[in-house]
Amino acid sequence: MAPEIYPYLKIEIDKHRERAKGASLFLLTGSANLLTLHQLAEALVGRMSVISLYPFSAGEYTGRGGNFIHRLFESKPVYRSYKPYKIIEYIKDATFPEPALNKEINREQWYGDYLNTLIQRDVQTVADIRDPSRMIMLFSMMAMRAGGLVNNNQIAQETGLEIKTYNRYKTAAINTFLFFELPAWTKPTRLNKRFTKTPKLYFTDTNLLAYLLKRDLNDIFNTDSVTMGRLFENFVACEILKNASSIIGLEVSHFRTSDQKEVDFVLEKGKEVIGIEVKLGSTLGTKDFSGLRVLKEAVGKRFTRGIVLYTGTDMLPFGEDLWAVPVSYLWED
């Protein structure tokens, strides 16, 4: 966006503020966080509202289910069976509108073009990037760590970037919505445990993540259960991000103790806490709920329920306030 128009936008908004009575006058779009464009943010402080639009969620693509986070907080799970589904197809469809809606599109070319445009235009807007090839290297390094804890010093060393340059590049990628960091849950409890304070990393689009890994999603699904497990967790993280963006007061974090007891996602709204663990598999056992039991002990009466999202079809109880929930719950009522 041309910075020379910012003062004129401010003048026009102020001129029509009384007459407009809160109505919007201009729509500014872009692939970067507008709040990081300092000249724009300063010119329009108190005069704009920012809405983040993410790629399709599975529920948006199918047109079913509504906001599953609302359902998690408002209604208790009950025993039921869901119809069979192919999880890989839903992951493919939960992406940017163009590749989602055009089944004939060359996806590899589309995601490559998207990355090139992102680096050459949007990343340059929010950061002084002198060596775009280092950005691609950084993206690839981050892709191999999706779903893991972020060790900034180690990644900077592996990419050959000074830590200040690395932090600038990483911030630029976050501000252009390529990936995001999930903070750690570190609130005080009566448990004699320490909690990690390190965030986890996820990509905003799982299909783009597969592209950066230089892997075909179908091949990963059929031959590589370890990588598929990471992509499945990233998919759920994206679905939470998209659904959580419209819920005021919702906090999302991950839970991990120093002795490696963990819960992939913790949702907090007011005094209620919901834990979500993710498992790639069509069957579950009691050990799959061990992290949720530690979280329940940590938060006490605030614990509303804990669920394990898996690729089965039955919603089943696994103890008080603990449920196995098919991942199709994300897009099915």
Side-chain angles (χ1 to χ4, degrees), residues 33-70:
N33 186 344
L34 293 179
L35 294 177
T36 64
L37 305 178
H38 300 298
Q39 289 175 288
L40 176 63
E42 290 176 4
L44 299 185
V45 61
R47 297 173 176 85
M48 68 177 179
S49 177
V50 178
I51 300 174
S52 297
L53 296 178
Y54 297 102
F56 283 148
S57 68
E60 286 174 325
Y61 182 83
T62 62
R64 304 190 302 270
N67 191 311
F68 77 91
I69 295 179
H70 278 306

Side-chain angles (χ1 to χ4, degrees), residues 88-249:
I88 194 67
E89 296 304 320
Y90 286 92
I91 293 176
K92 287 181 180 179
D93 291 335
T95 187
F96 297 94
E98 190 170 359
L101 299 175
N102 183 359
K103 300 302 182 184
E104 303 301 320
I105 202 168
N106 184 322
R107 287 195 166 208
E108 184 174 357
Q109 180 179 343
W110 193 93
Y111 290 114
D113 291 343
Y114 174 78
L115 272 181
N116 288 330
T117 302
L118 193 74
I119 293 171
Q120 297 298 332
R121 184 190 66 190
D122 299 317
V123 172
Q124 291 284 0
T125 301
V126 299
D128 179 20
I129 305 301
R130 300 177 182 178
D131 188 354
S133 64
R134 289 292 182 93
M135 286 295 293
I136 293 293
M137 184 185 302
L138 176 62
F139 295 166
S140 298
M141 289 289 184
M142 292 299 196
M144 291 187 287
R145 290 165 170 79
L149 300 178
V150 180
N151 187 327
N152 291 314
N153 289 326
Q154 182 182 44
I155 300 172
Q157 185 177 17
E158 291 181 5
T159 53
L161 294 170
E162 293 183 358
I163 190 65
K164 289 183 179 180
T165 303
Y166 161 79
N167 285 329
R168 190 172 76 252
Y169 281 25
K170 187 185 78 168
T171 299
I174 291 174
N175 286 334
T176 49
F177 302 102
L178 182 66
F179 51 75
F180 62 98
E181 291 182 324
L182 188 69
W185 189 93
T186 56
K187 298 183 179 180
T189 71
R190 295 181 179 179
L191 294 182
N192 185 25
K193 293 181 182 293
R194 291 183 299 173
F195 303 98
T196 181
K197 297 181 180 180
T198 308
K200 291 175 72 174
L201 174 81
Y202 295 101
F203 276 72
T204 309
D205 186 82
T206 305
N207 294 270
L208 184 61
L209 169 58
Y211 171 83
L212 284 166
L213 291 172
K214 301 186 184 304
R215 299 285 302 277
D216 177 75
L217 269 175
N218 286 318
D219 178 62
I220 295 173
F221 179 73
N222 291 322
T223 65
D224 189 347
S225 60
V226 174
T227 302
M228 190 62 218
R230 291 171 50 217
L231 294 182
F232 182 49
E233 182 181 333
N234 194 93
F235 166 71
V236 174
C238 292
E239 294 297 290
I240 291 174
L241 173 72
K242 297 164 188 175
N243 284 265
S245 63
S246 63
I247 302 177
I248 297 174

Side-chain angles (χ1 to χ4, degrees), residues 17 20-24:
R17 179 174 291 188
K21 296 181 179 179
S24 299

